[in-house]
Short mmCIF file of all heavy atoms in Angstrom, two decimals:
data_model
loop_
_atom_site.label_atom_id
_atom_site.label_comp_id
_atom_site.label_asym_id
_atom_site.label_seq_id
_atom_site.Cartn_x
_atom_site.Cartn_y
_atom_site.Cartn_z
N GLY A 100 6.23 -17.71 14.96
CA GLY A 100 7.25 -18.00 14.03
C GLY A 100 8.53 -18.49 14.77
O GLY A 100 8.53 -18.67 15.94
N VAL A 101 9.55 -18.69 13.98
CA VAL A 101 10.83 -19.03 14.50
C VAL A 101 11.68 -17.80 14.72
O VAL A 101 11.82 -16.99 13.78
CB VAL A 101 11.60 -20.04 13.61
CG1 VAL A 101 12.94 -20.39 14.22
CG2 VAL A 101 10.75 -21.30 13.39
N TYR A 102 12.13 -17.59 15.93
CA TYR A 102 12.91 -16.44 16.26
C TYR A 102 14.40 -16.81 16.32
O TYR A 102 14.79 -17.78 16.93
CB TYR A 102 12.48 -15.86 17.60
CG TYR A 102 11.21 -15.07 17.55
CD1 TYR A 102 9.97 -15.73 17.29
CD2 TYR A 102 11.20 -13.70 17.72
CE1 TYR A 102 8.82 -15.01 17.20
CE2 TYR A 102 9.99 -12.99 17.64
CZ TYR A 102 8.83 -13.61 17.39
OH TYR A 102 7.68 -12.93 17.30
N TYR A 103 15.20 -16.01 15.61
CA TYR A 103 16.60 -16.26 15.50
C TYR A 103 17.43 -15.11 16.13
O TYR A 103 17.14 -13.92 15.85
CB TYR A 103 17.06 -16.36 14.01
CG TYR A 103 16.38 -17.51 13.27
CD1 TYR A 103 15.20 -17.32 12.60
CD2 TYR A 103 17.00 -18.77 13.24
CE1 TYR A 103 14.63 -18.36 11.90
CE2 TYR A 103 16.40 -19.83 12.54
CZ TYR A 103 15.20 -19.60 11.88
OH TYR A 103 14.62 -20.64 11.19
N CYS A 104 18.41 -15.50 16.89
CA CYS A 104 19.37 -14.50 17.43
C CYS A 104 20.44 -14.26 16.37
O CYS A 104 20.89 -15.20 15.68
CB CYS A 104 19.95 -15.04 18.71
SG CYS A 104 21.09 -13.91 19.54
N ASN A 105 20.86 -13.03 16.28
CA ASN A 105 21.86 -12.63 15.29
C ASN A 105 22.90 -11.67 15.91
O ASN A 105 22.59 -10.85 16.75
CB ASN A 105 21.18 -11.94 14.12
CG ASN A 105 22.18 -11.32 13.11
OD1 ASN A 105 22.48 -10.14 13.18
ND2 ASN A 105 22.65 -12.16 12.24
N LEU A 106 24.13 -11.87 15.46
CA LEU A 106 25.21 -10.99 15.84
C LEU A 106 25.96 -10.56 14.63
O LEU A 106 26.41 -11.43 13.85
CB LEU A 106 26.15 -11.64 16.88
CG LEU A 106 27.30 -10.79 17.44
CD1 LEU A 106 27.68 -11.30 18.84
CD2 LEU A 106 28.55 -10.81 16.56
N LYS A 107 26.14 -9.27 14.46
CA LYS A 107 26.88 -8.71 13.35
C LYS A 107 28.08 -7.96 13.89
O LYS A 107 27.94 -7.17 14.81
CB LYS A 107 26.06 -7.73 12.52
CG LYS A 107 24.83 -8.33 11.84
CD LYS A 107 24.12 -7.33 10.99
CE LYS A 107 22.86 -7.93 10.40
NZ LYS A 107 23.15 -9.06 9.42
N VAL A 108 29.25 -8.28 13.32
CA VAL A 108 30.50 -7.55 13.76
C VAL A 108 30.61 -6.35 12.86
O VAL A 108 30.78 -6.48 11.63
CB VAL A 108 31.70 -8.49 13.62
CG1 VAL A 108 32.95 -7.73 14.05
CG2 VAL A 108 31.52 -9.73 14.45
N ILE A 109 30.55 -5.19 13.46
CA ILE A 109 30.61 -3.96 12.66
C ILE A 109 31.93 -3.80 11.95
O ILE A 109 33.03 -4.07 12.54
CB ILE A 109 30.40 -2.72 13.58
CG1 ILE A 109 29.05 -2.83 14.34
CG2 ILE A 109 30.42 -1.43 12.77
CD1 ILE A 109 27.85 -2.94 13.38
N GLY A 110 31.87 -3.43 10.68
CA GLY A 110 33.05 -3.25 9.87
C GLY A 110 33.56 -4.47 9.18
O GLY A 110 34.54 -4.41 8.46
N THR A 111 32.88 -5.58 9.36
CA THR A 111 33.23 -6.83 8.71
C THR A 111 31.95 -7.43 8.10
O THR A 111 30.85 -6.96 8.27
CB THR A 111 33.82 -7.85 9.68
OG1 THR A 111 32.82 -8.44 10.48
CG2 THR A 111 34.86 -7.18 10.56
N ARG A 112 32.16 -8.53 7.38
CA ARG A 112 31.03 -9.26 6.84
C ARG A 112 30.63 -10.42 7.69
O ARG A 112 29.81 -11.28 7.33
CB ARG A 112 31.32 -9.75 5.40
CG ARG A 112 31.53 -8.63 4.42
CD ARG A 112 31.71 -9.16 3.02
NE ARG A 112 31.87 -8.10 2.05
CZ ARG A 112 32.02 -8.30 0.77
NH1 ARG A 112 32.04 -9.52 0.24
NH2 ARG A 112 32.16 -7.23 -0.06
N ASN A 113 31.20 -10.50 8.90
CA ASN A 113 30.91 -11.59 9.80
C ASN A 113 29.49 -11.44 10.38
O ASN A 113 29.15 -10.41 10.92
CB ASN A 113 31.89 -11.62 10.97
CG ASN A 113 33.29 -11.97 10.47
OD1 ASN A 113 33.49 -12.56 9.44
ND2 ASN A 113 34.31 -11.58 11.27
N ASP A 114 28.73 -12.50 10.23
CA ASP A 114 27.34 -12.49 10.61
C ASP A 114 27.04 -13.88 11.19
O ASP A 114 27.18 -14.89 10.51
CB ASP A 114 26.49 -12.22 9.39
CG ASP A 114 25.05 -11.85 9.71
OD1 ASP A 114 24.74 -11.63 10.91
OD2 ASP A 114 24.25 -11.81 8.80
N TYR A 115 26.61 -13.90 12.42
CA TYR A 115 26.39 -15.20 13.11
C TYR A 115 24.92 -15.34 13.50
O TYR A 115 24.26 -14.36 13.85
CB TYR A 115 27.26 -15.26 14.37
CG TYR A 115 28.75 -15.10 14.09
CD1 TYR A 115 29.33 -13.86 14.15
CD2 TYR A 115 29.53 -16.19 13.73
CE1 TYR A 115 30.70 -13.70 13.85
CE2 TYR A 115 30.86 -16.05 13.44
CZ TYR A 115 31.46 -14.79 13.52
OH TYR A 115 32.81 -14.65 13.23
N TRP A 116 24.47 -16.59 13.46
CA TRP A 116 23.06 -16.88 13.74
C TRP A 116 22.96 -18.04 14.72
O TRP A 116 23.76 -18.96 14.76
CB TRP A 116 22.32 -17.31 12.42
CG TRP A 116 22.23 -16.22 11.47
CD1 TRP A 116 23.09 -15.89 10.46
CD2 TRP A 116 21.15 -15.26 11.34
NE1 TRP A 116 22.65 -14.80 9.74
CE2 TRP A 116 21.45 -14.40 10.26
CE3 TRP A 116 19.96 -15.07 12.05
CZ2 TRP A 116 20.60 -13.38 9.88
CZ3 TRP A 116 19.13 -14.04 11.65
CH2 TRP A 116 19.44 -13.21 10.59
N GLY A 117 21.89 -17.96 15.54
CA GLY A 117 21.54 -19.07 16.38
C GLY A 117 20.70 -20.07 15.66
O GLY A 117 20.31 -19.87 14.45
N GLN A 118 20.31 -21.13 16.30
CA GLN A 118 19.56 -22.18 15.67
C GLN A 118 18.07 -21.86 15.54
O GLN A 118 17.39 -22.44 14.72
CB GLN A 118 19.69 -23.51 16.46
CG GLN A 118 21.09 -23.93 16.72
CD GLN A 118 21.62 -23.44 18.09
OE1 GLN A 118 21.23 -22.34 18.54
NE2 GLN A 118 22.48 -24.19 18.71
N GLY A 119 17.63 -20.88 16.35
CA GLY A 119 16.23 -20.49 16.30
C GLY A 119 15.41 -21.13 17.39
O GLY A 119 15.72 -22.23 17.85
N THR A 120 14.42 -20.46 17.85
CA THR A 120 13.49 -20.97 18.85
C THR A 120 12.07 -20.68 18.42
O THR A 120 11.77 -19.60 17.99
CB THR A 120 13.80 -20.39 20.27
OG1 THR A 120 12.96 -20.98 21.24
CG2 THR A 120 13.59 -18.87 20.29
N GLN A 121 11.22 -21.67 18.56
CA GLN A 121 9.84 -21.56 18.06
C GLN A 121 8.98 -20.80 19.04
O GLN A 121 8.97 -21.12 20.23
CB GLN A 121 9.26 -22.96 17.78
CG GLN A 121 7.85 -22.96 17.28
CD GLN A 121 7.68 -22.47 15.91
OE1 GLN A 121 8.41 -22.92 15.00
NE2 GLN A 121 6.77 -21.52 15.69
N VAL A 122 8.22 -19.88 18.52
CA VAL A 122 7.18 -19.18 19.29
C VAL A 122 5.84 -19.47 18.65
O VAL A 122 5.65 -19.15 17.45
CB VAL A 122 7.46 -17.66 19.33
CG1 VAL A 122 6.27 -16.94 20.00
CG2 VAL A 122 8.72 -17.35 20.08
#
Side-chain angles (χ1 to χ4, degrees):
V101 179
Y102 283 68
Y103 298 91
C104 183
N105 172 264
L106 184 152
K107 298 182 184 296
V108 181
I109 303 300
T111 77
R112 294 184 179 182
N113 294 338
D114 195 10
Y115 303 93
W116 294 90
Q118 308 94 328
T120 185
Q121 178 72 49
V122 172

